[in-house]
Amino acid sequence: MASSVSPVRIGNLALGHIGSDNSIEALDENSPEAKQVDLWYDFAREQALADYDWNFARKRLALAAHEIDPPAGVWAYRYQYPSDCISARAIEAAPTETPVPYDIEAAGGDNTMSILTNRAQAVLVYTRDNKDTTTFSPHFAITMSYLLAHYISFPLTRKKKIKEDMFTAYRGFVPVAATINLNESMPAEPPDAGHIQARN
């Protein structure tokens, strides 16, 4: 992983994308560039994480039961939504199973989020709120920097065209980074796949 990646470096990449001659040394320094990077950094990070099932942010968690019952006759179980979840991806299932249906909704007077499903002892696969930039892949860091550039560009340049170009660049980088991310894994085959192939 790219241990040299940091919030400041991602911020400076974003500033470079929009043509700024200035760089920052800290997010909390007293400069227009740092203030904008600091303002938008977490929004850009969370959005970029949510846009794909990145392996460095993937997590599995056995869900805890929610205190409020699920809707009668619709779902059998209601679980607590993980506090560090950016985007739910799936209820874990065996390779031979079809995807497990689930839904997400607010529950109770305090509108805490919950997960509804018919799977007992459900395990959620999700993208966590990963703030550790040392785990970011270089391709994700660059991709995120274009989204950050999209957000900071207009306050710093007053040019809508740059803002639009940065978002277009971001959308172009997501599938590239996602493909590289996917290439770091090999999907599990169903247990009998080898026997079926041997007979064919």
Side-chain angles (χ1 to χ4, degrees):
M1 291 300 175
S3 60
S4 61
V5 175
S6 68
V8 169
R9 190 166 191 182
I10 292 173
N12 282 326
L13 286 172
L15 290 168
H17 297 329
I18 66 173
S20 175
D21 292 329
N22 299 322
S23 61
I24 62 175
E25 295 184 1
L27 267 59
D28 59 355
E29 70 183 37
N30 187 25
S31 68
E33 292 79 10
K35 289 178 180 178
Q36 288 301 317
V37 170
D38 187 43
L39 176 65
W40 290 106
Y41 179 86
D42 281 330
F43 287 102
R45 178 182 57 78
E46 291 174 12
Q47 184 178 338
L49 286 172
D51 274 350
Y52 184 73
D53 180 19
W54 308 103
N55 54 20
F56 62 85
R58 187 183 305 133
K59 185 175 178 179
R60 286 174 171 78
L61 181 70
L63 296 174
H66 198 285
E67 61 182 8
I68 297 176
D69 292 334
V74 182
W75 299 102
Y77 302 95
R78 186 192 296 275
Y79 296 101
Q80 297 176 27
Y81 193 85
S83 61
D84 64 343
C85 181
I86 289 290
S87 181
R89 302 296 177 183
I91 299 294
E92 191 171 57
T96 54
E97 286 186 278
T98 57
V100 178
Y102 70 97
D103 199 5
I104 295 172
E105 68 176 23
D110 58 356
N111 288 321
T112 57
M113 298 302 293
S114 66
I115 299 173
L116 300 164
T117 183
N118 292 323
R119 173 60 61 93
Q121 299 179 334
V123 174
L124 183 68
V125 181
Y126 65 96
T127 297
R128 67 185 178 92
D129 186 13
N130 188 356
K131 300 176 183 178
D132 184 0
T133 56
T134 65
T135 67
F136 292 0
S137 71
H139 292 88
F140 174 81
I142 293 171
T143 301
M144 179 191 156
S145 73
Y146 276 103
L147 184 58
L148 182 58
H150 162 72
Y151 285 123
I152 68 174
S153 59
F154 189 73
L156 294 176
T157 70
R158 299 297 173 184
K159 295 180 180 179
K160 291 184 178 180
K161 182 65 165 58
I162 295 178
K163 181 180 177 69
E164 294 168 357
D165 288 348
M166 291 301 98
F167 192 72
T168 299
Y170 169 70
R171 297 310 302 169
F173 268 84
V174 169
V176 175
T179 298
I180 294 169
N181 182 94
L182 187 62
N183 287 340
E184 290 189 324
S185 64
M186 176 63 69
E189 292 185 350
D192 60 347
H195 300 291
I196 294 172
Q197 290 175 0
R199 292 199 301 268
N200 291 338

